[in-house]
Amino acid sequence: MTILLVIALLTFSIAGTAGSTPDQPPDPYVPETGPFTQEQLINYARTYGTPLYVYDGNLIQQKLKRFRGAFEAQYPSVKVFYALKANTNMAIVSLLRNAGAECISLGEMQIAVRLGFRGEDMLFTSSAKTPEELRFAIEHGVTINLDSFGDLENLRKECESRGKRARISFRVNPDVDPHTHRFIATGHRFSKFGILLENDEIIRAYEVARACRWFEICGIQSHIGSQITELEPFERNARLLAEVVRKLRERLGIELRFVNLGGGLGIPYHDGQEVLTPERLAEGVCRVLKEELKGLPRLPALWLEPGRYLVGDSGVLLATVISVKDTPYRDFINVNTGFNHLVRPLLYDAYHRVRVLGRSADLKLYDVAGNICETGDILACDRLLPTPASGDIVAFLDAGAYGFSMASSYNSFDLPAEILVRGDKVDLIRRRGDLEELLRSQSLPEDLRR
Ligand code: LLP
């Protein structure tokens, strides 16, 4: 009896990851493969090998246009910044060059500058900015989004020692629950990000900043989380920020030039899933801002920082089936990639649709298992999939955001190659990693050589 219970619990806890749960039937198998046809994907895998990330560049640009258009239809002044962390490949970032760049690190700022972004079209948000990062941001005129009083003091020192002013905003922690996975909920009171509204902490931050001649106070920002599929948390965030904007004007005479609502708009990861659209998001938050800021002589501009929405559904990860393994308990499809290349299922219990290319028969419940030496390396769980043969190609859909950008070299596997498809044009935008790349920055002390 106890053994049965343990087995039942174990099955439940495994089945809960990256797939269906025992009380939910598995999703029916749909052969559709995102922006590409099955034939296209099979050809790419043949030409470039696997594991391979494939992106549809035209789709990325269409999504920027749609996102921006949705907000411009509702609000007089809108600026969109691409959150580079979602996908930092230079080609992808370049496709989004007519957006601004939202950066989290020196590396991301350097990539943006190298690709021709101007400082005034860049934002730097981090909760732990190093002196080197601050210096780079100051020198390039990047808007710096401050996260704490300590951050403010660090920036003041850097500005003073360089004799240069900096454009700033503050990141607010509005204590809003975005109803998403807890690792990607960023605006609740226990998160490490932003300055709380409680006890007017945020007003005090602006007061301190105003007293510092090195700062040009420009705006306010809050990013409440990622993969958000409901309107209400966004509206609540907008309302809370607008309240601060009004208070700052009334109490301190500070007029902010922008309100930055961050990123976070989710995408559908399941077949047939309906999620919030940019149009509904824009309609909702712009209505709130216009209502709440009605009395002001000038509406602040609306800034946004989408990442996933712009690049998520454009990307597919292709892998090769190594073997199929049936056991009395679970059946596995073993593939030549793993959580080193797509960590989202392991880290966030994320669901990525899986397709077995060129097959539709012998549907069976499978776990798709990676090649990493860890039990948690299951990329998809309890999925109804056609039975593949070894050598077949499988596609993980919606892998364009936080796919490659979170990849690692764990277990000394090569990093995947990446290709960019625009109509008939296909470009290799990252060659496959190799051993030399893996070892390039290591050195062997003399006495350990042989
Ligand atoms: N702005 C800031 C300050 C952010 O921290 C982020 C994402 C964004 C904008 C863009 O958010 P998006 O529109 O992409 O939701 N690795 C996780 C997501 C982490 C998001 C981190 N910050 C995942 O794979 O789901």
Side-chain angles (χ1 to χ4, degrees):
M1 181 65 193
T2 325
I3 290 173
L4 276 180
L5 192 71
V6 168
I7 292 174
L9 280 175
L10 217 74
T11 314
F12 180 83
S13 62
I14 295 169
T17 56
S20 55
T21 49
D23 47 351
Q24 274 176 335
D27 291 339
Y29 183 68
V30 179
E32 175 261 318
T33 36
F36 307 102
T37 63
Q38 297 221 1
E39 294 68 38
Q40 263 180 305
L41 293 176
I42 291 170
N43 277 333
Y44 300 147
R46 238 182 241 138
T47 311
Y48 298 95
T50 63
L52 177 71
Y53 273 97
V54 185
Y55 307 108
D56 182 338
N58 293 340
L59 180 59
I60 292 173
Q61 289 184 314
Q62 279 161 26
K63 295 206 72 178
L64 173 61
K65 203 161 158 216
R66 175 172 170 191
F67 188 90
R68 183 186 274 142
F71 283 87
E72 282 176 348
Q74 304 288 338
Y75 201 84
S77 169
V78 174
K79 198 160 168 170
V80 178
F81 296 78
Y82 168 52
L84 262 69
K85 53 185 83 63
N87 189 320
T88 332
N89 186 293
M90 291 195 296
I92 304 293
V93 179
S94 300
L95 285 174
L96 295 167
R97 211 183 269 133
N98 77 45
E102 191 274 322
C103 305
I104 184 70
S105 63
L106 181 63
E108 288 189 356
M109 286 191 281
Q110 285 170 327
I111 290 171
V113 166
R114 198 179 275 201
L115 296 178
F117 286 81
R118 295 170 313 167
E120 67 234 55
D121 297 326
M122 290 169 58
L123 291 175
F124 176 42
T125 291
S126 152
S127 51
K129 304 175 184 75
T130 65
E132 196 188 6
E133 289 173 328
L134 288 173
R135 283 196 288 274
F136 188 93
I138 297 166
E139 287 304 328
H140 288 84
V142 174
T143 301
I144 301 172
N145 195 27
L146 295 174
D147 193 86
S148 64
F149 286 89
D151 209 12
L152 180 151
E153 180 52 19
N154 290 343
L155 178 63
R156 191 194 60 73
K157 280 192 209 138
E158 287 302 332
C159 286
E160 199 166 59
S161 72
R162 310 187 81 70
K164 277 212 158 160
R165 298 189 83 209
R167 274 198 288 270
I168 64 152
S169 56
F170 280 101
R171 178 169 184 168
V172 171
N173 178 329
D175 196 19
V176 168
D177 180 356
H179 305 138
T180 186
H181 188 278
R182 68 190 177 96
F183 286 0
I184 50 176
T186 46
H188 57 78
R189 69 176 73 173
F190 301 111
S191 107
K192 67 174 179 174
F193 298 110
I195 298 182
L196 289 165
L197 298 173
E198 265 170 52
N199 304 321
D200 280 341
E201 275 286 277
I202 189 71
I203 306 292
R204 203 160 63 78
Y206 280 93
E207 208 170 0
V208 174
R210 192 184 52 171
C212 175
R213 68 190 181 95
W214 299 109
F215 296 156
E216 187 186 336
I217 298 174
C218 295
I220 188 162
Q221 190 263 13
S222 173
H223 168 79
I224 55 172
S226 201
Q227 185 52 21
I228 303 170
T229 54
E230 297 164 21
L231 179 57
E232 184 270 337
F234 284 115
E235 285 183 332
R236 205 132 61 83
N237 186 40
R239 187 162 288 116
L240 290 166
L241 290 196
E243 235 167 69
V244 180
V245 172
R246 272 191 287 123
K247 271 193 195 169
L248 286 173
R249 188 178 143 76
E250 283 156 20
R251 296 199 198 162
L252 304 178
I254 293 176
E255 280 201 41
L256 295 184
R257 297 212 293 266
F258 69 80
V259 173
N260 180 346
L261 295 181
L265 178 59
I267 60 169
Y269 280 100
H270 290 259
D271 287 303
Q273 188 186 359
E274 295 268 335
V275 298
L276 183 59
T277 61
E279 290 76 19
R280 278 185 53 226
L281 173 63
E283 196 276 318
V285 297
C286 295
R287 184 177 30 75
V288 168
L289 289 180
K290 285 187 285 192
E291 261 168 37
E292 298 287 323
L293 299 174
K294 208 164 36 221
L296 298 188
R298 203 154 35 98
L299 269 184
L302 172 56
W303 288 13
L304 299 138
E305 307 171 347
R308 183 190 321 265
Y309 176 80
L310 300 182
V311 296
D313 56 352
S314 78
V316 172
L317 171 62
L318 299 180
T320 301
V321 174
I322 301 297
S323 60
V324 176
K325 175 176 173 176
D326 293 347
T327 81
Y329 307 103
R330 309 197 68 80
D331 296 334
F332 299 97
I333 297 174
N334 291 312
V335 295
N336 69 341
T337 185
F339 74 69
N340 51 338
H341 297 160
L342 183 64
V343 75
R344 303 193 66 259
L346 174 69
L347 201 52
Y348 315 112
D349 236 352
Y351 182 104
H352 284 267
R353 293 174 290 172
V354 180
R355 312 298 191 210
V356 180
L357 304 183
R359 305 248 175 214
S360 53
D362 298 326
L363 288 175
K364 233 168 93 171
L365 269 192
Y366 283 109
D367 287 355
V368 184
N371 52 0
I372 294 294
C373 61
E374 300 210 21
T375 310
D377 188 26
I378 300 293
L379 293 161
C381 195
D382 266 336
R383 302 293 181 86
L384 202 53
L385 293 173
T387 299
S390 64
D392 279 1
I393 305 299
V394 292
F396 300 91
L397 305 191
D398 310 307
Y402 308 108
F404 192 99
S405 67
M406 296 181 80
S408 77
S409 299
Y410 185 41
N411 282 190
S412 298
F413 284 110
D414 298 335
L415 285 169
E418 295 178 286
I419 60 170
L420 177 66
V421 180
R422 285 168 291 169
D424 292 336
K425 188 167 156 50
V426 182
D427 292 292
L428 180 68
I429 57 172
R430 182 191 303 265
R431 65 171 169 72
R432 185 169 306 290
D434 58 21
L435 186 71
E436 288 318 308
E437 182 177 309
L438 217 59
L439 300 181
R440 186 177 306 145
S441 44
Q442 301 184 28
S443 50
L444 199 54
E446 192 89 47
D447 61 309
L448 297 180
R449 293 185 195 159
R450 43 170 294 172

Coordinates of all heavy atoms in Angstrom, one line a residue, residues 25-79:
P25 N -6.0 15.2 -19.5 CA -5.6 14.4 -20.6 C -4.5 15.1 -21.4 O -4.4 16.3 -21.4 CB -6.9 14.2 -21.4 CG -7.7 15.4 -21.0 CD -7.4 15.8 -19.7
P26 N -3.6 14.3 -22.0 CA -2.6 15.0 -22.8 C -3.2 15.8 -24.0 O -4.3 15.4 -24.4 CB -1.7 13.8 -23.3 CG -2.6 12.6 -23.2 CD -3.6 12.9 -22.1
D27 N -2.5 16.8 -24.4 CA -3.0 17.5 -25.6 C -3.0 16.6 -26.8 O -2.1 15.8 -26.9 CB -2.1 18.7 -25.9 CG -2.2 19.8 -24.8 OD1 -3.2 19.8 -24.1 OD2 -1.3 20.6 -24.6
P28 N -4.0 16.8 -27.7 CA -3.9 16.0 -28.9 C -2.7 16.4 -29.7 O -2.2 17.5 -29.6 CB -5.2 16.4 -29.6 CG -5.8 17.6 -29.0 CD -5.1 17.6 -27.6
Y29 N -2.2 15.5 -30.6 CA -1.0 15.8 -31.4 C -1.4 16.7 -32.6 O -2.3 16.3 -33.4 CB -0.3 14.6 -31.8 CG 1.0 14.9 -32.6 CD1 2.1 15.5 -31.9 CD2 1.1 14.7 -33.9 CE1 3.2 15.8 -32.6 CE2 2.3 15.0 -34.6 CZ 3.3 15.6 -33.9 OH 4.5 15.9 -34.6
V30 N -0.8 17.8 -32.8 CA -1.0 18.7 -33.9 C 0.3 18.8 -34.7 O 1.3 19.0 -34.1 CB -1.5 20.1 -33.4 CG1 -1.7 21.0 -34.6 CG2 -2.7 20.0 -32.5
P31 N 0.3 18.5 -36.0 CA 1.6 18.5 -36.7 C 2.1 19.9 -37.1 O 3.2 20.0 -37.6 CB 1.2 17.7 -38.0 CG -0.2 17.8 -38.2 CD -0.8 18.1 -36.8
E32 N 1.3 21.0 -36.8 CA 1.7 22.3 -37.3 C 3.1 22.7 -36.6 O 3.3 22.4 -35.4 CB 0.6 23.3 -36.9 CG 0.8 24.7 -37.2 CD 1.2 25.4 -35.9 OE1 0.6 25.2 -34.8 OE2 2.1 26.3 -35.9
T33 N 3.9 23.4 -37.4 CA 5.3 23.6 -36.8 C 5.6 25.1 -36.8 O 6.7 25.6 -37.3 CB 6.4 22.9 -37.7 OG1 5.9 22.9 -39.1 CG2 6.5 21.5 -37.2
G34 N 4.8 25.9 -36.2 CA 5.1 27.4 -36.0 C 5.2 28.0 -37.4 O 4.5 27.8 -38.3
P35 N 6.2 28.9 -37.5 CA 6.3 29.7 -38.7 C 6.9 28.9 -39.9 O 6.9 29.5 -41.0 CB 7.2 30.9 -38.4 CG 7.9 30.4 -37.2 CD 7.1 29.4 -36.5
F36 N 7.3 27.7 -39.7 CA 8.0 27.0 -40.8 C 7.2 25.7 -41.2 O 6.4 25.2 -40.4 CB 9.4 26.5 -40.3 CG 10.2 27.6 -39.8 CD1 10.4 27.8 -38.4 CD2 10.8 28.5 -40.6 CE1 11.1 28.9 -37.9 CE2 11.6 29.6 -40.2 CZ 11.7 29.7 -38.8
T37 N 7.4 25.2 -42.4 CA 6.8 23.9 -42.7 C 7.7 22.8 -42.2 O 8.9 23.0 -42.0 CB 6.7 23.7 -44.2 OG1 8.0 23.7 -44.8 CG2 5.9 24.9 -44.8
Q38 N 7.2 21.6 -42.1 CA 8.0 20.4 -41.7 C 9.1 20.2 -42.6 O 10.2 19.9 -42.2 CB 7.1 19.2 -41.6 CG 6.0 19.3 -40.6 CD 5.7 18.0 -39.8 OE1 6.4 17.0 -40.0 NE2 4.8 18.0 -38.9
E39 N 8.8 20.3 -43.9 CA 9.9 20.1 -45.0 C 11.0 21.1 -44.8 O 12.2 20.7 -44.9 CB 9.3 20.2 -46.4 CG 8.2 19.2 -46.8 CD 6.9 19.4 -46.0 OE1 6.5 20.5 -45.7 OE2 6.3 18.3 -45.6
Q40 N 10.7 22.3 -44.6 CA 11.7 23.4 -44.4 C 12.6 22.9 -43.2 O 13.8 22.9 -43.3 CB 11.1 24.7 -44.0 CG 10.9 25.7 -45.1 CD 10.2 27.0 -44.5 OE1 9.1 26.9 -43.9 NE2 10.8 28.1 -44.8
L41 N 12.0 22.6 -42.1 CA 12.8 22.3 -40.9 C 13.6 21.0 -41.1 O 14.8 21.0 -40.7 CB 11.8 22.1 -39.7 CG 11.1 23.3 -39.2 CD1 10.1 23.0 -38.1 CD2 12.1 24.4 -38.8
I42 N 13.1 20.0 -41.8 CA 13.9 18.8 -42.1 C 15.1 19.2 -42.9 O 16.3 18.8 -42.7 CB 13.1 17.7 -42.8 CG1 12.0 17.2 -41.8 CG2 13.9 16.6 -43.3 CD1 11.0 16.3 -42.4
N43 N 14.9 20.1 -43.9 CA 16.0 20.5 -44.8 C 17.1 21.3 -44.0 O 18.3 21.1 -44.1 CB 15.5 21.5 -45.9 CG 15.0 20.6 -47.0 OD1 15.4 19.5 -47.2 ND2 14.0 21.2 -47.8
Y44 N 16.6 22.2 -43.1 CA 17.6 23.0 -42.3 C 18.4 22.0 -41.4 O 19.6 22.2 -41.3 CB 16.9 24.0 -41.4 CG 16.0 25.0 -42.1 CD1 14.9 25.5 -41.5 CD2 16.4 25.5 -43.3 CE1 14.1 26.5 -42.2 CE2 15.6 26.4 -44.0 CZ 14.5 26.9 -43.4 OH 13.7 27.8 -44.1
A45 N 17.7 21.0 -40.8 CA 18.5 20.1 -40.0 C 19.5 19.3 -40.8 O 20.6 19.1 -40.3 CB 17.5 19.1 -39.3
R46 N 19.1 19.0 -42.0 CA 20.0 18.2 -42.9 C 21.2 19.1 -43.3 O 22.4 18.7 -43.2 CB 19.3 17.9 -44.2 CG 19.3 16.4 -44.4 CD 18.7 16.0 -45.7 NE 17.5 15.1 -45.4 CZ 16.3 15.2 -45.9 NH1 16.1 16.0 -46.9 NH2 15.4 14.3 -45.6
T47 N 21.0 20.4 -43.6 CA 22.0 21.3 -44.1 C 22.9 21.7 -42.9 O 24.2 21.8 -43.1 CB 21.4 22.5 -44.7 OG1 20.4 22.1 -45.7 CG2 22.4 23.3 -45.4
Y48 N 22.4 22.1 -41.8 CA 23.2 22.7 -40.7 C 23.4 21.8 -39.5 O 24.2 22.1 -38.7 CB 22.5 24.0 -40.2 CG 22.3 25.0 -41.3 CD1 21.2 25.1 -42.1 CD2 23.4 25.9 -41.6 CE1 21.0 26.0 -43.1 CE2 23.3 26.8 -42.7 CZ 22.1 26.9 -43.4 OH 22.0 27.8 -44.4
G49 N 22.8 20.6 -39.5 CA 23.0 19.7 -38.4 C 22.1 20.1 -37.2 O 21.5 21.2 -37.2
T50 N 22.1 19.3 -36.2 CA 21.4 19.6 -35.0 C 22.3 19.4 -33.8 O 23.3 18.7 -33.9 CB 20.2 18.6 -34.8 OG1 20.7 17.3 -34.6 CG2 19.2 18.7 -35.9
P51 N 22.0 20.0 -32.6 CA 20.9 20.9 -32.3 C 21.0 22.2 -33.0 O 22.1 22.7 -33.2 CB 21.0 21.1 -30.8 CG 22.0 20.0 -30.3 CD 22.8 19.7 -31.4
L52 N 19.9 22.7 -33.5 CA 19.9 23.9 -34.3 C 18.7 24.8 -33.9 O 17.6 24.4 -33.8 CB 19.7 23.5 -35.7 CG 19.6 24.6 -36.8 CD1 21.0 25.3 -37.0 CD2 19.2 24.1 -38.1
Y53 N 19.0 26.1 -33.6 CA 17.9 27.1 -33.4 C 17.6 27.7 -34.8 O 18.6 28.2 -35.5 CB 18.4 28.2 -32.4 CG 18.1 27.8 -31.0 CD1 19.1 27.2 -30.2 CD2 16.8 28.0 -30.4 CE1 18.8 26.9 -28.8 CE2 16.5 27.7 -29.1 CZ 17.5 27.1 -28.3 OH 17.2 26.8 -27.0
V54 N 16.4 27.8 -35.1 CA 15.9 28.4 -36.4 C 15.0 29.6 -36.0 O 14.1 29.4 -35.3 CB 15.1 27.4 -37.2 CG1 14.8 27.9 -38.6 CG2 15.9 26.1 -37.4
Y55 N 15.2 30.7 -36.6 CA 14.4 31.9 -36.4 C 13.8 32.4 -37.6 O 14.4 32.5 -38.7 CB 15.2 33.0 -35.7 CG 15.9 32.6 -34.5 CD1 17.3 32.5 -34.5 CD2 15.3 32.3 -33.3 CE1 18.1 32.1 -33.4 CE2 16.0 31.9 -32.2 CZ 17.4 31.8 -32.2 OH 18.1 31.4 -31.2
D56 N 12.5 32.9 -37.6 CA 11.9 33.6 -38.7 C 12.0 35.1 -38.5 O 11.3 35.7 -37.6 CB 10.4 33.1 -38.7 CG 9.7 33.8 -39.9 OD1 10.1 34.8 -40.4 OD2 8.7 33.2 -40.3
G57 N 12.9 35.7 -39.2 CA 13.2 37.1 -39.1 C 12.0 38.0 -39.5 O 11.8 39.0 -38.8
N58 N 11.3 37.6 -40.5 CA 10.1 38.4 -40.9 C 9.1 38.5 -39.8 O 8.5 39.5 -39.5 CB 9.5 37.9 -42.2 CG 10.5 38.1 -43.4 OD1 11.4 38.8 -43.3 ND2 10.3 37.3 -44.4
L59 N 8.9 37.3 -39.2 CA 7.9 37.3 -38.1 C 8.3 38.2 -37.0 O 7.5 39.0 -36.4 CB 7.7 35.9 -37.6 CG 6.7 35.7 -36.5 CD1 5.3 36.1 -36.9 CD2 6.6 34.2 -36.0
I60 N 9.6 38.2 -36.6 CA 10.0 39.1 -35.5 C 9.7 40.6 -35.9 O 9.2 41.3 -35.0 CB 11.6 38.9 -35.3 CG1 11.8 37.5 -34.8 CG2 12.2 40.0 -34.4 CD1 13.3 37.1 -34.7
Q61 N 10.0 41.0 -37.1 CA 9.7 42.4 -37.5 C 8.2 42.7 -37.5 O 7.8 43.8 -37.1 CB 10.4 42.7 -38.8 CG 11.9 42.7 -38.5 CD 12.7 43.2 -39.8 OE1 12.5 42.7 -40.9 NE2 13.7 44.1 -39.6
Q62 N 7.4 41.7 -37.9 CA 6.0 41.9 -37.9 C 5.5 42.1 -36.5 O 4.6 42.9 -36.3 CB 5.3 40.7 -38.5 CG 5.2 40.6 -40.0 CD 4.9 39.2 -40.5 OE1 4.3 38.4 -39.8 NE2 5.4 38.8 -41.7
K63 N 6.1 41.3 -35.6 CA 5.6 41.4 -34.2 C 5.9 42.8 -33.6 O 5.1 43.3 -32.8 CB 6.1 40.2 -33.4 CG 5.5 38.9 -34.0 CD 5.4 37.9 -33.0 CE 4.3 38.0 -32.0 NZ 4.2 36.9 -31.1
L64 N 7.1 43.3 -33.9 CA 7.4 44.6 -33.4 C 6.4 45.7 -34.0 O 5.9 46.5 -33.2 CB 8.9 45.0 -33.8 CG 9.2 46.5 -33.5 CD1 9.2 46.7 -32.0 CD2 10.6 46.8 -34.0
K65 N 6.1 45.5 -35.2 CA 5.2 46.5 -35.9 C 3.8 46.4 -35.2 O 3.2 47.4 -34.9 CB 5.1 46.1 -37.4 CG 4.6 47.2 -38.2 CD 5.0 46.9 -39.7 CE 4.1 47.8 -40.5 NZ 3.7 47.2 -41.7
R66 N 3.4 45.2 -35.0 CA 2.0 45.0 -34.4 C 2.0 45.5 -33.0 O 1.1 46.2 -32.6 CB 1.7 43.5 -34.4 CG 0.4 43.2 -33.7 CD -0.1 41.8 -33.8 NE -1.2 41.6 -32.9 CZ -1.8 40.4 -32.6 NH1 -1.3 39.3 -33.2 NH2 -2.8 40.3 -31.8
F67 N 3.1 45.2 -32.2 CA 3.1 45.7 -30.8 C 3.1 47.2 -30.7 O 2.3 47.8 -30.0 CB 4.4 45.1 -30.2 CG 4.5 45.3 -28.7 CD1 4.0 44.4 -27.8 CD2 5.1 46.4 -28.1 CE1 4.0 44.6 -26.4 CE2 5.2 46.6 -26.8 CZ 4.6 45.7 -25.9
R68 N 4.0 47.8 -31.5 CA 4.1 49.2 -31.5 C 2.8 49.9 -32.0 O 2.3 50.8 -31.3 CB 5.3 49.7 -32.3 CG 5.5 51.2 -32.3 CD 6.6 51.6 -33.3 NE 7.9 51.5 -32.8 CZ 9.0 51.0 -33.4 NH1 8.8 50.7 -34.7 NH2 10.2 51.0 -32.9
G69 N 2.3 49.3 -33.0 CA 1.0 49.9 -33.6 C -0.1 49.8 -32.6 O -0.9 50.7 -32.5
A70 N -0.2 48.7 -31.9 CA -1.3 48.6 -30.9 C -1.2 49.7 -29.9 O -2.3 50.2 -29.5 CB -1.1 47.2 -30.2
F71 N -0.1 50.1 -29.4 CA 0.0 51.1 -28.4 C -0.1 52.5 -29.0 O -0.7 53.4 -28.5 CB 1.4 51.0 -27.6 CG 1.3 49.9 -26.6 CD1 1.6 48.6 -27.0 CD2 0.9 50.1 -25.3 CE1 1.6 47.5 -26.1 CE2 0.8 49.1 -24.4 CZ 1.1 47.8 -24.8
E72 N 0.4 52.7 -30.2 CA 0.3 54.0 -30.9 C -1.1 54.3 -31.2 O -1.5 55.5 -31.3 CB 1.2 54.0 -32.2 CG 2.7 54.2 -31.8 CD 3.6 54.2 -32.9 OE1 3.2 53.8 -34.0 OE2 4.8 54.6 -32.8
A73 N -1.9 53.3 -31.4 CA -3.4 53.5 -31.7 C -4.1 54.1 -30.4 O -5.2 54.6 -30.5 CB -4.0 52.3 -32.1
Q74 N -3.5 53.9 -29.3 CA -4.2 54.3 -28.0 C -3.5 55.4 -27.2 O -4.1 55.9 -26.3 CB -4.2 53.1 -27.0 CG -4.7 51.8 -27.6 CD -6.2 51.9 -27.7 OE1 -6.9 52.7 -27.1 NE2 -6.8 51.1 -28.6
Y75 N -2.3 55.8 -27.6 CA -1.6 56.7 -26.7 C -0.7 57.7 -27.6 O -0.2 57.2 -28.6 CB -0.7 55.9 -25.8 CG -0.3 56.7 -24.5 CD1 -1.2 56.7 -23.4 CD2 0.9 57.3 -24.4 CE1 -0.8 57.4 -22.3 CE2 1.3 58.0 -23.3 CZ 0.4 58.0 -22.2 OH 0.8 58.7 -21.1
P76 N -0.6 58.9 -27.2 CA 0.1 59.9 -28.1 C 1.6 59.7 -28.3 O 2.1 59.9 -29.4 CB -0.2 61.3 -27.4 CG -0.6 61.0 -26.0 CD -1.2 59.6 -26.0
S77 N 2.3 59.2 -27.3 CA 3.7 59.1 -27.4 C 4.2 57.8 -26.8 O 4.0 57.5 -25.7 CB 4.4 60.3 -26.7 OG 5.8 60.1 -26.7
V78 N 4.7 56.9 -27.7 CA 5.1 55.5 -27.3 C 6.5 55.2 -27.8 O 6.9 55.6 -28.9 CB 4.1 54.5 -28.0 CG1 4.5 53.1 -27.7 CG2 2.7 54.8 -27.6
K79 N 7.3 54.6 -26.9 CA 8.6 54.1 -27.3 C 8.8 52.7 -26.9 O 8.5 52.4 -25.7 CB 9.6 55.0 -26.6 CG 11.0 55.0 -27.3 CD 11.8 56.2 -27.0 CE 13.3 56.0 -27.4 NZ 14.1 57.1 -27.3

